[in-house]
Amino acid sequence: MKTITKHIFTAMLLMLPMMLLAETGFELAKAMEDKSAPTDMKSNMTMTLTNKQGKTRESTIRSIAADDNRKQIIWFLAPADDKGVAFLKIEHAQKDDEMRLWLPAFKKVRRISSKKKADSFMGSDLSYEDMTSRELDEYTYEILGEKVVDGIDCHILESTPKAGITRTYKRFITYVSKTDLVSILDEAYDTRDKLLKRRVMKYRKNKGYDLPTEIFVENVQKGSNTRLIFSSQEVDTGVKADLFQEKNLKRMPK
Amino acid sequence: MKKLIPAIFLMVLVPLASFGQFNFSGDLTPSGMLRISDGSLINLPFRLGSIEVDYARGDFELKTVTALETRWKDPELSEDMFLLREAYLMWYPAFGEVKLGKMIHAWGAADANNPTDNLSPYDYYYMFLTGTDRKLGSMSMAVKTYVSDFQIELIAIPEFAANRFPLNEPDFPIDIPVPDGAQYFDPENEFEVGGRLQYAMGIGDLSASYFKGNDRSFSPAGLEIDLAAMMSGGNPFISHLTYRETDAIGLDAVLFPGNWTFRGEFAYFRTQTPEIEYDMSKFTYDAEYLQSVIQVEYAFANTVQLMAQFISNNNQKVESSMEKDGNFQNLEIMLQDISNHSLDPMRAQIAQMGVPEFSAGMGTPFAMIADQVVILSSMVTLLDNSLELSGMLMVNLKETGYMANIGSTYSMMEGLNLETTLGYFIGGDEEGNRFKQLEDFSNLKLGLSYSF
């Protein structure tokens, strides 16, 4: 009897660190959010859209983001018929987000409804919702397990919008790198709980940050995909808040 | 000296290019319109292409837009023209933006039809196009500043610019009644000012504007009697036209209730004929009118969009009068005293003379066609955004009149699009029905668009 008790006590002592270290889904999501991120980022990107017939269309984009991606301004530099179009996004905590599109052919800044989150961004597989941040407190989280993805050991984290939160997706399954706490693979399910999009991200280390080098988004149901390749990135350059104004949509990007 | 010009050009251009950033873009847009009734070519000018050159250095940018206008046949109707459509300097200080030069302005929240957008004149050759394609640049200065959720814009236009009308253009579908030999009085005060205040709310944007200036379209100013011409058997009547002084107060908004988008514009106009020191019988107008556009949009699916637009033009008050001068009165007396029956046509003409009917000189161009219309339009993209189909139906609510338009834009390869548009007009038999005049303009338009 004493031996059994001794074994049980020993097992509990061995399990104690694991019990102490086991985190909840919310804690994992919070750890991802609390991970250090640049105060701002300037990047040049190539966006390649591929339809299900394999036909491609390539755009060149200049992007500047700040405030944890809550403010972003994007200029389309190519192809020629998109050149000059620019997009401004400002996420607000207390009121509807602002999204504005500069249309050179009309010489107007057109405000877009932030409720049209399902709409495609410039014909890509990214929707406007895909381009906005997920607020930590608007979701419930659960760790479903572990998996190795592309040689990277990952947690499987399920995120579900809370009741009353309107989103175009029913839930997300995110494969989170255990070492770097970044999303390696993100699967979005539509309102019928069918897999709609799959997003794969690659990173590189720069100044202590994990910066994306490539984002691949596949619309599983349509058979199309969008690939974003970052050709240059600058971080913590001191981007000023007044950059995110309408006037800068009209001028050539810096 | 001529041999030095390229060298001088390079001496200026190379340093500029070294210290700043040049940007070139443009398009080639050959197109043709065929009349549906008989397949004949509608011979109106079109823009064969345009080029935009931008130069940026620091907080300054210089923008120019040049276009080439031509027509397929009968070049004697107009010369091929290189048009400098815009050339202006932009400065981006911390407080906002400042622009100076020849430029096109665009105000208003609605699409295509904007009663509050009166800063830039329209080119009526292109009135069925959208955006800046149907506008003309004018010399002006604009200052815009951003304060919290507010935008404040002030514009000054020192040099008056009128709408460009297709006069003496056989194929233009709308009859613009300008008498032969009519003469124009330029505005007494060419200087115009405007201001706009925009507030960004959570649910949308709200704006108020004011413009003080001159009508963009001419109106009758008076009638001069040339007795010498009459004595020699010619037409004694010389029409004079002018541009009324007009104030415009506007409100516009874009709101996003639920999944809908609402865009609206309301403009109130007060217009008066200016005092003209000239020896003639004078027409004077003192009028107030309202124009409004209410637009509702809904996106049913990711690739299908529907839009409905209601456009209205209402004359609230029109006071008009004709002040006959001495020559006119003498002519009336002379025609009464002379019993020569060869003068009967002139007697009839004099008897019918009065103040021409009032028409708005500012606001949305469609006020020229109808007082109240409803426009329904839709757009869908297919083949993974390679093909864009659009449809539009315009219904005149005051008299019988319809316009239907179906268009397609097919992306043949990157930067190259094939564009087709079928436009059809149906008008009623009411006298002066504008849509009836447009019936023969029903057309098939084919064009290529290459962007570089």
Side-chain angles (χ1 to χ4, degrees), chain A residues 77 252-254, chain B residues 16-23 54-58:
Chain A
L77 306 178
M252 286 195 267
K254 295 180 180 177
Chain B
L16 279 176
S18 304
F19 294 110
Q21 185 184 349
F22 266 106
N23 205 5
D54 296 342
Y55 174 72
R57 186 177 171 190

Side-chain angles (χ1 to χ4, degrees), chain B residues 126-357:
Chain B
Y126 304 98
M127 68 175 290
F128 293 109
L129 297 183
T130 57
T132 57
D133 282 344
R134 61 174 173 167
K135 294 177 131 187
L136 297 167
S138 58
M139 288 300 297
S140 51
M141 178 175 173
V143 177
K144 186 183 265 192
T145 186
Y146 302 83
V147 179
S148 183
D149 292 328
F150 290 89
Q151 284 181 32
I152 303 161
E153 184 176 9
L154 298 172
I155 292 175
I157 304 172
E159 196 176 278
F160 171 72
N163 292 334
R164 179 189 179 203
F165 284 105
L167 303 176
N168 303 316
E169 196 70 68
D171 282 358
F172 190 73
I174 300 174
D175 180 34
I176 300 169
V178 177
D180 291 338
Q183 297 180 10
Y184 295 80
F185 288 106
D186 286 336
E188 180 73 18
N189 181 10
E190 290 199 29
F191 191 80
E192 302 174 327
V193 291
R196 187 166 186 261
L197 175 69
Q198 178 175 303
Y199 173 57
M201 308 179 292
I203 197 175
D205 291 342
L206 189 62
S207 306
S209 61
Y210 174 71
F211 176 70
K212 182 176 180 59
N214 302 287
D215 277 354
R216 296 285 176 241
S217 298
F218 52 79
S219 57
L223 205 59
E224 182 184 356
I225 305 295
D226 185 351
L227 291 172
M230 191 186 83
M231 293 306 175
S232 59
N235 181 9
F237 304 110
I238 303 172
S239 294
H240 289 273
L241 306 169
T242 190
Y243 300 89
R244 292 187 300 254
E245 295 168 346
T246 302
D247 290 359
I249 298 172
L251 284 174
D252 66 87
V254 56
L255 303 169
F256 306 109
N259 290 325
W260 297 79
T261 298
F262 164 87
R263 298 178 195 273
E265 284 187 43
F266 301 88
Y268 162 81
F269 300 87
R270 171 76 194 278
T271 184
Q272 289 178 303
T273 308
E275 283 289 331
I276 299 173
E277 296 293 332
Y278 193 80
D279 204 10
M280 64 178 179
S281 299
K282 294 175 185 172
F283 301 131
T284 57
Y285 298 89
D286 184 348
E288 297 171 14
Y289 57 100
L290 282 172
Q291 290 185 359
S292 61
V293 174
I294 298 171
Q295 176 177 324
V296 179
E297 301 165 26
Y298 194 85
F300 280 93
N302 206 14
T303 57
V304 179
Q305 297 172 39
L306 287 182
M307 188 267 279
Q309 200 176 66
F310 172 72
I311 305 169
S312 171
N313 178 54
N314 286 303
N315 294 336
Q316 301 294 299
K317 179 196 94 170
V318 177
E319 292 173 1
S320 56
S321 63
M322 178 180 180
E323 183 188 328
K324 296 177 184 176
D325 70 338
N327 281 344
F328 194 99
Q329 291 170 359
N330 289 339
L331 180 60
E332 284 183 309
I333 293 168
M334 190 173 70
L335 290 173
Q336 283 172 9
D337 291 347
I338 298 173
S339 58
N340 190 334
H341 288 291
S342 65
L343 295 173
D344 283 351
M346 192 175 293
R347 288 191 188 90
Q349 194 176 359
I350 287 277
Q352 288 173 1
M353 271 184 186
V355 182
E357 189 179 346

Side-chain angles (χ1 to χ4, degrees), chain A residues 51 53 55 80 83 95-96 100 105-108 110-113 115 118-120 123 246-247 250-252, chain B residues 23 56 58 61 86 88 92-93 96-97 108 111 114 132 146 151 201-202 204-205 256 258 297 302 384:
Chain A
N51 65 14
Q53 284 84 28
K55 185 178 173 186
K83 189 174 183 179
K95 58 180 181 177
D96 286 353
R100 298 180 187 275
F106 296 86
K107 287 223 158 184
K108 283 187 177 179
R110 185 181 176 87
R111 186 164 176 183
I112 305 166
S113 170
K115 296 185 179 65
D119 282 8
S120 160
E246 272 188 27
K247 67 176 184 180
K250 307 170 193 175
R251 60 187 302 189
M252 286 195 267
Chain B
N23 205 5
E61 280 186 25
E86 292 186 283
Y88 60 96
Y92 295 99
E97 52 186 276
D111 293 335
N114 306 98
T132 57
Y146 302 83
Q151 284 181 32
M201 308 179 292
D205 291 342
F256 306 109
E297 301 165 26
N302 206 14
D384 286 305

Side-chain angles (χ1 to χ4, degrees), chain A residues 160-209:
Chain A
T160 307
K162 290 179 178 174
I165 301 295
T166 305
R167 290 291 178 267
T168 57
Y169 303 108
K170 185 169 183 180
R171 63 187 175 108
F172 299 90
I173 303 288
T174 308
Y175 296 79
V176 181
S177 163
K178 285 184 180 178
T179 48
D180 297 324
L181 292 178
V182 291
S183 165
I184 302 299
L185 169 65
D186 188 84
E187 294 174 337
Y189 289 77
D190 65 18
T191 52
R192 297 167 300 160
D193 206 24
K194 293 199 182 306
L195 179 62
L196 176 59
K197 293 184 189 174
R198 186 179 284 122
R199 182 173 64 185
V200 178
M201 297 180 67
K202 295 181 181 173
Y203 301 85
R204 68 179 177 96
K205 296 276 186 196
N206 184 4
K207 294 185 180 178
Y209 304 119

Side-chain angles (χ1 to χ4, degrees), chain A residues 73-248:
Chain A
I73 186 165
I74 291 172
W75 295 271
F76 282 80
L77 306 178
D81 39 6
D82 285 345
K83 189 174 183 179
V85 174
F87 172 73
L88 172 66
K89 175 199 75 172
I90 300 175
E91 296 178 27
H92 295 289
Q94 304 300 327
K95 58 180 181 177
D96 286 353
D97 299 343
E98 279 181 64
M99 295 199 293
R100 298 180 187 275
L101 200 60
W102 165 245
L103 300 171
F106 296 86
K107 287 223 158 184
K108 283 187 177 179
V109 176
R110 185 181 176 87
R111 186 164 176 183
I112 305 166
S113 170
S114 60
K115 296 185 179 65
K116 290 186 176 179
K117 292 192 180 294
D119 282 8
S120 160
F121 175 70
M122 297 299 288
S124 73
D125 295 291
L126 289 157
S127 65
Y128 286 107
E129 179 169 341
D130 294 335
M131 297 178 64
T132 54
S133 314
R134 287 184 220 163
E135 292 297 327
L136 184 67
D137 294 330
E138 290 181 349
Y139 291 80
T140 58
Y141 304 91
E142 185 181 350
I143 296 178
L144 301 180
E146 301 172 353
K147 187 173 182 177
V148 175
V149 177
D150 287 338
I152 300 170
D153 209 5
C154 297
H155 294 293
I156 305 174
L157 176 69
E158 182 182 65
S159 311
T160 307
K162 290 179 178 174
I165 301 295
T166 305
R167 290 291 178 267
T168 57
Y169 303 108
K170 185 169 183 180
R171 63 187 175 108
F172 299 90
I173 303 288
T174 308
Y175 296 79
V176 181
S177 163
K178 285 184 180 178
T179 48
D180 297 324
L181 292 178
V182 291
S183 165
I184 302 299
L185 169 65
D186 188 84
E187 294 174 337
Y189 289 77
D190 65 18
T191 52
R192 297 167 300 160
D193 206 24
K194 293 199 182 306
L195 179 62
L196 176 59
K197 293 184 189 174
R198 186 179 284 122
R199 182 173 64 185
V200 178
M201 297 180 67
K202 295 181 181 173
Y203 301 85
R204 68 179 177 96
K205 296 276 186 196
N206 184 4
K207 294 185 180 178
Y209 304 119
D210 288 297
L211 301 180
T213 57
E214 184 175 322
I215 301 174
F216 178 78
V217 179
E218 181 189 5
N219 187 314
V220 173
Q221 294 177 13
K222 272 175 61 180
S224 58
N225 64 73
T226 299
R227 189 182 299 274
L228 281 160
I229 298 177
F230 294 76
S231 55
S232 72
Q233 288 163 312
E234 300 167 80
V235 295
D236 296 338
T237 59
V239 170
K240 294 180 183 172
D242 65 2
L243 175 71
F244 303 97
Q245 286 182 339
E246 272 188 27
K247 67 176 184 180
N248 294 308

Side-chain angles (χ1 to χ4, degrees), chain B residues 27-30 46-51 66-69:
Chain B
D27 52 33
L28 292 170
T29 52
F46 63 95
R47 295 193 191 113
L48 184 58
S50 68
I51 184 163
T66 309
L68 171 63
E69 183 178 277

